Amino acid sequence: MRETVQAEVIMTFLVSEELSFRIPVGLDYDSSDPYAVKFTFHLPGDAPVTWAFARELLLDGLSQPSGEGDVHIAPASAGQFSDVFIRLQVGAEGALFRAGAAPLVAFLDRTDRIVPLGEERTVADFDYELAAELDNILAGNPEGQNAG
């Protein structure tokens, strides 16, 4: 059975040392994609932007610098559990956000009640889903449009 967790947190978008502003960020978790969390950033004057990354990365980043590639998460202060920095990078362009750790922990706790960390593989039969999707593609039914 598919279950979801949603939350909204306010994060600070750190544009520069002189400029920052607070924005709402939607957090989403869906048991049909048990390894990922999605953050939807609602920037003023722009369409919402959604980033998906590993739930485990978010958890690890609460206590130590974590991430490779486009997403990096790290505590704002070593040895203190208060805020975290989330850096999103696309090529030379990047964005830095600061968020309170407590609402992120609460969100992760709710996801853990649906799919405990480390048990993601038991939730979905990825091999079956992949085979079914490949059957659809080979049958000429893109995007999971079953013929029968």
Side-chain angles (χ1 to χ4, degrees), residues 2-144:
R2 181 179 172 185
E3 295 184 66
T4 62
V5 173
Q6 295 179 327
E8 184 173 282
V9 298
I10 300 297
M11 293 187 186
T12 302
F13 179 27
L14 302 163
V15 179
S16 68
E17 286 188 30
E18 300 82 29
L19 179 62
S20 65
F21 51 92
R22 296 168 58 84
I23 62 166
V25 178
L27 311 180
D28 293 291
Y29 178 78
D30 189 325
S31 64
S32 69
D33 188 5
Y35 292 100
V37 292
K38 292 181 182 175
F39 281 36
T40 301
F41 298 88
H42 299 276
L43 300 170
D46 283 332
V49 175
T50 300
W51 280 70
F53 51 90
R55 176 170 64 150
E56 190 172 354
L57 171 62
L58 179 59
L59 177 64
D60 291 347
L62 294 172
S63 60
Q64 63 188 7
S66 301
E68 295 179 11
D70 297 344
V71 180
H72 294 263
I73 303 173
S77 301
Q80 292 185 343
F81 185 74
S82 60
D83 288 352
V84 295
F85 288 117
I86 300 172
R87 177 176 299 281
L88 308 174
Q89 193 79 32
V90 176
E93 298 293 319
L96 181 63
F97 300 89
R98 186 174 185 140
L104 299 177
V105 168
F107 173 73
L108 286 170
D109 182 59
R110 290 175 54 210
T111 70
D112 192 60
R113 290 182 206 156
I114 294 173
V115 179
L117 281 159
E119 295 184 22
E120 293 90 351
R121 183 74 174 117
T122 64
V123 173
D125 185 347
F126 291 109
D127 294 333
Y128 172 79
E129 290 176 15
L130 178 60
E133 192 61 33
L134 285 173
D135 286 345
N136 282 329
I137 292 169
L138 293 173
N141 297 317
E143 299 183 29

